[in-house]
Amino acid sequence: MKLKNIFYSFIALSLFGANAQQSIPKVEELLDKMTLEEKIGQLNLLTPGGGVATGSVVSENVEAKIKAGQVGGLFGVTGPDKVRVAQEMAVEQSRLGIPLLIGSDVIHGYKTTYPIPLGLSSSWDMDLIKQAAQMAAKEATADGINWNFSPMVDIARDPRWGRISEGAGEDPYLGSKIAEAMVKGYQGDNLAANHTMLACVKHFALYGAAEAGRDYHSVDMSKIKMFNQYVQPYKAAIDAGAASVMTSFNDVDGVPATGNKWLLTDLLRTQWGFDGFVVSDYTSLNEMIAHGLGDLQAVSVLALKAGLDMDMVGEGFLTTLKKSLDEGKITEAEITNACRHVLEAKYISGLFDDPYKYLDSKRPEKDILTKENRTLARKLAAHSFVLLKNHNNTLPLKKQGKIALIGPLADSRENMLGTWAPTGDFNLAVTIKEGFKNVAPNASIKYAKGANISDDTEFAKHVNVFGPRIEIDERSPAVMLNEAVELAKTSDVVVVVVGEATEMSGEAASRTDISIPESQKKLVRALVDTGKPVALVLMSGRPLTTPEEFDLPISILQVWHPGVEAGNAIADVVFGDYNPSGKLTATWPINVGQIPIYHSAKITGRPAPGNGEFQKFRSNYLDAPNTPLLPFGYGLSYTTFDYSNLRLDKKSIGQGEAVSATVTVTNTGDYDGEEVVQLYLRDVVRSITPPKRQLKGFQKIMLKKGERKEVTITLSPDDLKFYNTQLEFVSEPGEFEIFVGTNSDADLSETFTLK
């Protein structure tokens, strides 16, 4: 259902149908009263500053513009009292009293931050992800916000790109399920309620495919690849009722997304039936000048005609559209239509009925950073962790004995929340050191820093733009290392916490070397040399290249950046109060030379041998295998699971029919645990080259020690379809192969035929 239809269903007007484009009488009446300048004003989104900006521009003369009816929305202002001041200016001091949209980047929690989106996606738990979004919406709306610049659903297959941290990884099927869960969590069933908010799916489109993994860089791909591998999560968010769409910084087919009519009108509105509003990313309209599309007036015309409704910060619309209208370059109808889209969103969210509905000054204390919210954040974090290796079953640790807790991230409060948490407060975060003492009070836990996150002062300067994240100790690296080694020698077990500082990933945080910095590598090697059991807690906002660490006799737990309850959640898993169940949602390469590497790659005409041996004139490398360090969907548990007896309910189906696969899963280990049962599909022969396999279904199940379950996953007719050379969504007769297992390398298989 589309945006307006969600509202109409709520008010019992569903007779218009799922794809009806119905006008809203109150909006039409208001449009008739508005001057040209007031219509253009609704297309202007400003920030008064004070928050984290993603560009160098901060809006000026905001109050005067609000009173003059020249502002449609604000971001960067929070709190019921502060928002009320701005809203009163718009409602009581402008001519028509049109309320403001109040936006914010609530990317992974509001004040109660939870794991970065890449981490949250590793839970593979759609109910939990929806709960996370609901909690974020409840907190943000309590602080006066009614519009969220989330979810980010960009498919990303290059971990050099820093914003891989903000999405759900490499797979369009999983990404679509998460996009749907997030939109429904933010918007709920009733956008007029005071605890729901408008979602904004971003970045439309293909932002995650930036060349060379460099942020804001160009994107160039065929439409077949686009439709089959990248756009599904955007459409899933639209189908879930997303109220708004944000354009991306990159070009698509040679035209920047913000001015791309094929993208914003032909695809988004005509083909997909989107009836919400479209907003640019931060000054992306103005940036079309640098792209080479003309001056500010020219690119503003291009954007309006393409289907952009709201200009974020750049004020190209505000300052040039009237002139362009006078010169006949645009029509007033085009301005009116963009204004209509913005006003409809305000109407559907209930702002015309009560502009102050989100401004209850009692709500922040009641709804933000509550005990219940922090409990959920702790649960979300624990469920996001991925056990990568468990050498000699070192984990879980006993809550006794002498534990050496070592590493620059083990007691680093400022690095717990993760990137792009502008509404969070790292001072409220639980460090790992604190978490260990909370969960294992009877153990002797002693701490040593051991190393800097990086010894490179220039690199640290680049990372520390938003404040100190890499703090280079006054002590020499040798002194810190010696202290850590001596502590390890007197301990029963070592837990070393290493990886990335929060701003080593995220926006404008691309890296060409995605290994653990050498300062920390040296620390890990020295601790292993003590002969003590070592558990490595790895913190990052992206997949890392860690072949050296995997060759060491250590256990590895990937914890991403877990949020405000980081330390408690990590301790819960390390000490066995929760059995890790996370699975990777992005492939981990052996080295950057393998990038991009992903599970659904195509098979070439000269495939490498299946045994991994090198052969000349085959598609392989001289110096590395084709296979990754860790495959998509990978993740261990403290217990073990056995898969057996895979069978299909049909060996042959007709067009439009479904087929179900059932497998027996048994917990064969010593702990209760959760497992993500994954189903992959291969279309053996078709009219365009097929991927070697694609994720087409999954279930997360809980099994007691020794328990066995029959798990059934059904493939719908659409799961067998793809976009052909004419961009028609079709399925073709032939043989299909199903693989079921614990990750994308699953080898339990069956075949069926589509007639």
Side-chain angles (χ1 to χ4, degrees):
M1 295 181 75
K2 304 300 186 284
L3 173 63
K4 282 184 280 185
N5 294 310
I6 290 176
F7 179 76
Y8 284 131
S9 295
F10 171 66
I11 60 174
L13 291 176
S14 56
L15 56 91
F16 292 126
N19 292 309
Q21 296 291 321
Q22 296 293 323
S23 61
I24 298 174
K26 184 175 179 64
V27 170
E28 298 306 312
E29 292 171 7
L30 185 56
L31 285 168
D32 288 341
K33 299 176 183 177
M34 296 176 73
T35 65
L36 174 66
E37 290 78 7
E38 287 168 333
K39 290 176 183 177
I40 294 173
Q42 288 299 303
L43 316 185
N44 194 25
L45 175 62
L46 301 183
T47 177
V52 176
T54 61
S56 60
V57 178
V58 176
S59 308
E60 297 179 352
N61 303 318
V62 175
E63 292 186 13
K65 289 172 183 174
I66 292 173
K67 294 174 184 177
Q70 295 181 334
V71 180
L74 293 177
F75 67 101
V77 54
T78 61
D81 295 339
K82 291 181 180 179
V83 173
R84 182 176 290 275
V85 171
Q87 200 68 283
E88 284 179 349
M89 288 181 196
V91 173
E92 299 176 20
Q93 299 182 52
S94 70
R95 188 179 77 90
L96 292 176
I98 301 173
L100 298 168
L101 291 172
I102 304 295
S104 183
D105 282 288
V106 185
I107 306 303
H108 50 110
Y110 185 63
K111 295 293 186 184
T112 307
T113 54
Y114 44 78
I116 59 171
L118 184 63
L120 189 63
S121 72
S122 300
S123 71
W124 293 61
D125 191 321
M126 299 308 109
D127 289 338
L128 268 184
I129 290 171
K130 183 178 178 180
Q131 288 178 46
Q134 288 171 331
M135 177 180 74
K138 187 174 182 180
E139 286 201 348
T141 55
D143 227 15
I145 295 162
N146 52 51
W147 179 26
N148 188 11
F149 306 145
S150 176
M152 189 192 104
V153 302
D154 303 307
I155 295 301
R157 293 170 172 177
D158 190 333
R160 294 173 299 179
W161 188 57
R163 297 194 84 169
I164 194 172
S165 61
E166 290 182 55
E170 73 185 40
D171 186 76
Y173 180 88
L174 178 62
S176 295
K177 297 298 183 184
I178 292 174
E180 177 185 4
M182 295 291 284
V183 169
K184 290 182 176 179
Y186 291 141
Q187 296 191 166
D189 297 324
N190 178 12
L191 273 170
N194 69 355
H195 63 278
T196 60
M197 61 199 307
L198 303 173
C200 184
V201 59
K202 64 184 188 183
H203 304 83
F204 195 60
L206 313 182
Y207 184 36
E211 288 184 355
R214 180 154 52 85
D215 211 351
Y216 317 123
H217 205 357
S218 182
V219 172
D220 190 9
M221 71 171 63
S222 68
K223 284 194 169 68
I224 279 187
K225 185 172 184 178
M226 184 189 310
F227 274 69
N228 282 310
Q229 301 182 38
Y230 278 85
V231 301
Q232 294 94 321
Y234 305 113
K235 188 174 188 301
I238 300 306
D239 290 343
S244 60
V245 169
M246 184 182 293
T247 63
S248 56
F249 291 109
N250 55 279
D251 57 338
V252 175
D253 259 359
V255 181
T258 302
N260 193 311
K261 185 177 185 295
W262 174 83
L263 190 68
L264 303 186
T265 297
D266 298 347
L267 178 62
L268 183 62
R269 294 199 184 276
T270 304
Q271 292 187 41
W272 291 357
F274 177 65
D275 61 0
F277 72 102
V278 180
V279 63
S280 67
D281 205 340
Y282 204 112
T283 66
S284 67
L285 185 151
N286 312 63
E287 291 165 26
M288 288 195 287
I289 300 170
H291 275 287
L293 273 293
D295 60 16
L296 184 59
Q297 182 181 359
V299 298
S300 297
V301 167
L302 184 67
L304 183 71
K305 285 185 170 293
L308 186 73
D309 300 313
M310 185 173 260
D311 171 13
M312 184 188 290
V313 177
E315 299 193 279
F317 280 179
L318 186 71
T319 59
T320 72
L321 287 189
K322 187 176 186 303
K323 180 181 179 184
S324 294
L325 179 63
D326 292 340
E327 295 174 354
K329 296 177 179 177
I330 57 173
T331 66
E332 185 166 356
E334 289 169 329
I335 295 172
T336 299
N337 196 45
C339 181
R340 177 181 290 112
H341 292 148
V342 174
L343 295 178
E344 285 173 343
K346 294 180 179 184
Y347 181 78
I348 290 168
S349 62
L351 288 173
F352 282 113
D353 291 330
D354 182 4
Y356 308 112
K357 55 180 284 194
Y358 296 101
L359 306 181
D360 181 351
S361 59
K362 297 178 182 178
R363 278 193 64 194
E365 184 176 355
K366 182 176 66 173
D367 291 342
I368 295 176
L369 279 167
T370 63
K371 180 180 178 181
E372 293 77 14
N373 289 359
R374 293 195 71 134
T375 297
L376 177 58
R378 183 172 179 170
K379 180 179 181 180
L380 292 167
H383 282 245
S384 75
F385 301 159
V386 185
L387 182 62
L388 303 181
K389 183 182 176 185
N390 200 6
H391 180 73
N392 288 339
N393 293 320
T394 299
L395 295 174
L397 301 183
K398 296 178 180 179
K399 297 180 182 179
Q400 61 188 40
K402 299 178 180 178
I403 300 172
L405 179 61
I406 295 170
L409 291 165
D411 191 29
S412 180
R413 202 178 307 278
E414 63 271 21
N415 282 304
M416 296 299 100
L417 300 189
T419 186
W420 217 218
T423 56
D425 181 355
F426 70 73
N427 291 300
L428 302 176
V430 179
T431 68
I432 300 171
K433 178 182 175 183
E434 291 168 342
F436 272 39
K437 292 185 175 181
N438 292 339
V439 172
N442 295 324
S444 172
I445 299 167
K446 294 185 178 180
Y447 164 77
K449 183 176 179 180
N452 297 311
I453 294 173
S454 172
D455 293 332
D456 186 335
T457 56
E458 189 64 24
F459 179 69
K461 181 180 177 181
H462 295 169
V463 171
N464 292 343
V465 171
F466 295 139
R469 299 295 186 268
I470 297 178
E471 296 192 69
I472 298 180
D473 205 286
E474 293 180 356
R475 296 172 295 171
S476 71
V479 168
M480 288 190 290
L481 182 63
N482 183 66
E483 178 188 43
V485 168
E486 291 305 311
L487 176 60
K489 288 178 179 178
T490 61
S491 301
D492 300 318
V493 64
V494 176
V495 177
V496 57
V497 188
V498 297
E500 292 188 314
T502 60
E503 300 309 321
M504 285 171 66
S505 61
E507 185 168 359
S510 298
R511 295 178 63 196
T512 59
D513 178 357
I514 56 171
S515 63
I516 297 170
E518 181 58 32
S519 57
Q520 299 179 74
K521 281 177 169 287
K522 186 175 181 180
L523 171 64
V524 173
R525 291 192 294 262
L527 295 174
V528 169
D529 286 345
T530 66
K532 298 292 184 176
V534 175
L536 189 154
V537 173
L538 186 57
M539 190 172 287
S540 72
R542 55 161 56 87
L544 299 177
T545 51
T546 55
E548 177 186 345
E549 287 71 31
F550 267 78
D551 285 343
L552 296 173
I554 60 176
S555 300
I556 304 175
L557 178 68
Q558 170 67 21
V559 300
W560 315 106
H561 288 113
V564 71
E565 284 290 317
N568 287 332
I570 291 169
D572 287 340
V573 173
V574 167
F575 290 104
D577 290 346
Y578 178 73
N579 186 352
S581 62
K583 301 280 188 175
L584 299 178
T585 59
T587 301
W588 282 44
I590 291 175
N591 58 49
V592 293
Q594 290 184 317
I595 296 169
I597 185 169
Y598 50 97
H599 74 282
S600 58
K602 295 184 177 184
I603 301 171
T604 76
R606 294 187 177 188
N611 60 10
E613 291 184 2
F614 174 81
Q615 278 190 19
K616 194 69 173 176
F617 305 116
R618 291 287 180 174
S619 181
N620 43 212
Y621 299 104
L622 292 172
D623 57 353
N626 288 3
T627 53
L629 181 69
L630 298 170
F632 174 86
Y634 175 91
L636 304 177
S637 169
Y638 294 153
T639 192
T640 53
F641 299 98
D642 176 71
Y643 286 73
S644 62
N645 194 24
L646 175 64
R647 63 268 190 201
L648 305 180
D649 67 335
K650 303 169 189 171
K651 295 294 286 185
S652 179
I653 62 173
Q655 291 285 343
E657 293 182 4
V659 60
S660 294
T662 300
V663 68
T664 304
V665 185
T666 306
N667 184 338
T668 55
D670 296 327
Y671 296 86
D672 299 344
E674 293 166 284
E675 169 71 338
V676 180
V677 181
Q678 302 164 43
L679 183 150
Y680 296 84
L681 181 71
R682 181 187 173 206
D683 190 346
V684 179
V685 176
R686 72 183 193 190
S687 59
I688 64 170
T689 52
K692 59 183 178 182
R693 58 179 65 180
Q694 294 174 284
L695 179 71
K696 289 294 182 179
F698 61 90
Q699 280 189 32
K700 191 165 189 176
I701 61 172
M702 176 70 189
L703 290 176
K704 298 286 188 181
K705 175 184 174 182
E707 186 180 3
R708 174 180 301 173
K709 279 186 180 179
E710 304 292 307
V711 178
T712 298
I713 299 175
T714 299
L715 291 171
S716 73
D718 278 357
D719 289 327
L720 309 184
K721 293 182 178 180
F722 64 96
Y723 289 92
N724 64 16
T725 55
Q726 304 304 310
L727 298 183
E728 299 163 327
F729 194 48
V730 299
S731 56
E732 296 175 344
E735 183 181 357
F736 290 80
E737 190 170 9
I738 282 177
F739 304 86
V740 176
T742 188
N743 60 56
S744 60
D745 284 345
D747 55 10
L748 203 59
S749 66
E750 283 287 344
T751 61
F752 69 93
T753 301
L754 175 65
K755 297 178 181 177

